[in-house]
Structure formats: structure tokens, C-alpha cells
Amino acid sequence: MKNLFSMEYLTNDDIFNLIQTASRFKSGKEIVPQYEGKYVSNLFFENSTRTKCSFEVAELNLGLKQVNFETSTSSVQKGESLYDTCKTLESIGVNLLVIRHPQNAYYEELENLNIPIANAGDGSGQHPTQSLLDIMTIYEEYETFEGLNILICGDIKNSRVARSNYTSLTSLGAKVMFSSPNEWVDETLDAPYVNIDDVIDKVDIIMLLRVQHERHGITDEANFKADHYHEQYGLTKERYRRLKDDAIVMHPAPVNRGVEIDSELVEAPKSRIFKQMENGMYLRMAVIDKLLSRKGE
């Protein structure tokens, strides 16, 4: 694997290989490789807590040295292009780039780089490591994807998580449904849209998405009514009680408590939200190992 750009570029075998490697790291059944003398730089042009920090911990666990990069103090402020920034880091000896950028498919401009890139999120395009950690979490629970009914609720149109997960989970055999306000419907994805209350007692997994105000217009944000949204599209206590006994609740976070999900349900017995975060670090270790070792080529 030369780069990790999008779930569309991964086969089902690639996906299983990554989650199995991550699972072995998590269980302690595999010696963690060490990449002393290798350098990584994390280029986050959008704010992040979970993705950035879990990549950093994964890198440290693998023995990588981190080259600090902050957009606010870099030559980006002087007009330097993303390509020139990345080419500069390559030229001074950085071996791996982890990039989050507001531009969809930013990586298409970086074809002439000679070092691997891990996409940590591109605009409303793709978020492959989030999708992979979600898949890992689901696999831990069910050990299969065939026949699973998965409901993804919320801001579908602006969600790279929805797009990545729809692509991968459908390929793996799951049935993916969406529930969303009309203005956040993504017509580029061929998934059925349903009323949450019509299916809440039938789904195996409900995945709530953050309302992404930063990608909406100022007027839309001003008119947003959190209580109304929660009642129409959120996981309320009443909907939680209707879930099947073995159903699980997921959210890529950050969570807007009381909006996408009732605050008391974030750590409820069926919630796997913090388990997703734990798995994310091991999954990102597996991705980095694959990129630096070039296994499977």
C-alpha cells in the first residue's frame, strides 16, 4: 500500500488485513515494529482531537520521530501551496505525511511526492481511518458484516464519515440506510433514506453523525434548533429503549451531547463510542506500519 487516500481504493482483503493487524497489536499478540530513524509530520489544516492525537500516539508507539507542523506558524501563512509544503518536508527527510485538509481530494495534487500519505480527512470527501476503526469496532462485536442493518443518522451531505462508511460497509455485505433532514441529503450516494422511528427497533447498529455547522451557512446555523433536531433525528432515551438487545450505538465524535444523542446515552451499555476511539489508535498503528513497510505490494 503506497498511500491511504480513500476507502474506494481498498479491497475487502485490504480492509480485513488492516483490522486484523490492529487487533493483534491491541491484544499484544504481535510484536510492535519500531521505525527508529524514520520521521513523520502531521499536517492538520482543520481542528482535530481524536484523529490527530491517536495518530500521534500510534506514531510514538511505532518509534517514529515527529516533525512538528502548525499551519499558524508555517509558510502557509505566506501563501505556500500544499504541494510545496509537502515537497519541502519530503526534501528534508520526512518519511510519512498525515494530512487533514478542508479541500476535497486534496491528495490529487500530490502525485509527484515520493513518500506515503495517510489521509486524515479531506473536506466532506473521505475519512478512511475513521471508517476502518468503525469497521474494526463492528467486527469485534459481530465477527461478520453480512446481513447487518446499519442506520447512519444526521448530516449526511457534509459527512466524510458517512461517505467512507457507506462505501466500505456496503462492499462488506452490510445494508446501510440513512436518516437525515432534507437539506442534508446526499444524492450522490445510492442508499435508502428512512424515518428513524420506522427502523430503530430493527437495526443492528445506529451511527450518529455530528451536525457540521462549520460547513453550513451562517443563516443555516442561526436557524438551527437543537431540541427540534434531537427529537426528529437524534438518539433519545425512548429510541434507545427500542433498540434490539444486541444493537450497538456509534458516533465518530466529537459528540454534541443533547443534539445527536442524549448526554446520558454516550456511555450507556450499548454505546461503543469510546471503544471506537481506543480502536482508532491501534488501527492507525496498522495503517502506518503498512505504509512504511510497504507490505502487500
Side-chain angles (χ1 to χ4, degrees), residues 82 91 122 138 159 194 198 272:
L82 176 62
S91 299
D122 61 293
I138 293 169
S159 174
V194 298
D198 290 342
R272 299 296 181 270

PDB file of all heavy atoms in Angstrom, residues 82 91 122 138 159 194 198 272:
ATOM      1  N   LEU A  82      -0.017  23.648  -0.775  1.00  0.00           N
ATOM      2  CA  LEU A  82       0.062  22.373  -0.062  1.00  0.00           C
ATOM      3  C   LEU A  82       1.152  21.500  -0.672  1.00  0.00           C
ATOM      4  O   LEU A  82       1.924  20.872   0.057  1.00  0.00           O
ATOM      5  CB  LEU A  82      -1.285  21.651  -0.114  1.00  0.00           C
ATOM      6  CG  LEU A  82      -1.318  20.251   0.505  1.00  0.00           C
ATOM      7  CD1 LEU A  82      -0.999  20.302   1.991  1.00  0.00           C
ATOM      8  CD2 LEU A  82      -2.679  19.592   0.271  1.00  0.00           C
ATOM      9  N   SER A  91      11.762  16.733   1.186  1.00  0.00           N
ATOM     10  CA  SER A  91      13.157  17.065   0.856  1.00  0.00           C
ATOM     11  C   SER A  91      14.069  17.085   2.067  1.00  0.00           C
ATOM     12  O   SER A  91      15.265  16.803   1.961  1.00  0.00           O
ATOM     13  CB  SER A  91      13.208  18.433   0.151  1.00  0.00           C
ATOM     14  OG  SER A  91      12.471  18.411  -1.064  1.00  0.00           O
ATOM     15  N   ASP A 122     -10.492  14.635   4.201  1.00  0.00           N
ATOM     16  CA  ASP A 122     -10.439  15.685   3.176  1.00  0.00           C
ATOM     17  C   ASP A 122     -11.821  16.285   2.996  1.00  0.00           C
ATOM     18  O   ASP A 122     -12.713  15.673   2.442  1.00  0.00           O
ATOM     19  CB  ASP A 122      -9.897  15.130   1.847  1.00  0.00           C
ATOM     20  CG  ASP A 122     -10.748  14.017   1.261  1.00  0.00           C
ATOM     21  OD1 ASP A 122     -10.803  12.939   1.860  1.00  0.00           O
ATOM     22  OD2 ASP A 122     -11.354  14.225   0.186  1.00  0.00           O
ATOM     23  N   ILE A 138     -17.125  -2.759  14.742  1.00  0.00           N
ATOM     24  CA  ILE A 138     -18.263  -3.601  14.366  1.00  0.00           C
ATOM     25  C   ILE A 138     -17.846  -5.068  14.311  1.00  0.00           C
ATOM     26  O   ILE A 138     -18.571  -5.955  14.781  1.00  0.00           O
ATOM     27  CB  ILE A 138     -18.833  -3.139  13.006  1.00  0.00           C
ATOM     28  CG1 ILE A 138     -19.463  -1.746  13.148  1.00  0.00           C
ATOM     29  CG2 ILE A 138     -19.861  -4.143  12.480  1.00  0.00           C
ATOM     30  CD1 ILE A 138     -19.817  -1.093  11.820  1.00  0.00           C
ATOM     31  N   SER A 159     -20.780  14.899   5.518  1.00  0.00           N
ATOM     32  CA  SER A 159     -20.022  13.950   6.328  1.00  0.00           C
ATOM     33  C   SER A 159     -19.119  13.051   5.487  1.00  0.00           C
ATOM     34  O   SER A 159     -19.599  12.214   4.714  1.00  0.00           O
ATOM     35  CB  SER A 159     -20.975  13.068   7.143  1.00  0.00           C
ATOM     36  OG  SER A 159     -20.250  12.069   7.825  1.00  0.00           O
ATOM     37  N   VAL A 194     -34.592   6.679   5.298  1.00  0.00           N
ATOM     38  CA  VAL A 194     -35.711   6.136   6.065  1.00  0.00           C
ATOM     39  C   VAL A 194     -36.034   7.057   7.234  1.00  0.00           C
ATOM     40  O   VAL A 194     -35.228   7.916   7.613  1.00  0.00           O
ATOM     41  CB  VAL A 194     -35.377   4.725   6.603  1.00  0.00           C
ATOM     42  CG1 VAL A 194     -35.140   3.754   5.448  1.00  0.00           C
ATOM     43  CG2 VAL A 194     -34.165   4.760   7.535  1.00  0.00           C
ATOM     44  N   ASP A 198     -39.148   4.338  12.101  1.00  0.00           N
ATOM     45  CA  ASP A 198     -39.643   3.158  11.395  1.00  0.00           C
ATOM     46  C   ASP A 198     -38.685   1.974  11.483  1.00  0.00           C
ATOM     47  O   ASP A 198     -39.104   0.826  11.275  1.00  0.00           O
ATOM     48  CB  ASP A 198     -39.886   3.481   9.915  1.00  0.00           C
ATOM     49  CG  ASP A 198     -41.067   4.413   9.716  1.00  0.00           C
ATOM     50  OD1 ASP A 198     -41.892   4.546  10.634  1.00  0.00           O
ATOM     51  OD2 ASP A 198     -41.145   5.031   8.626  1.00  0.00           O
ATOM     52  N   ARG A 272     -20.653   2.262  21.987  1.00  0.00           N
ATOM     53  CA  ARG A 272     -19.275   1.856  21.699  1.00  0.00           C
ATOM     54  C   ARG A 272     -18.441   3.079  21.303  1.00  0.00           C
ATOM     55  O   ARG A 272     -17.405   2.956  20.658  1.00  0.00           O
ATOM     56  CB  ARG A 272     -19.244   0.809  20.585  1.00  0.00           C
ATOM     57  CG  ARG A 272     -19.985  -0.485  20.902  1.00  0.00           C
ATOM     58  CD  ARG A 272     -19.361  -1.232  22.063  1.00  0.00           C
ATOM     59  NE  ARG A 272     -20.079  -2.481  22.342  1.00  0.00           N
ATOM     60  CZ  ARG A 272     -21.092  -2.580  23.184  1.00  0.00           C
ATOM     61  NH1 ARG A 272     -21.526  -1.506  23.845  1.00  0.00           N
ATOM     62  NH2 ARG A 272     -21.691  -3.752  23.390  1.00  0.00           N
TER      63      ARG A 272
END
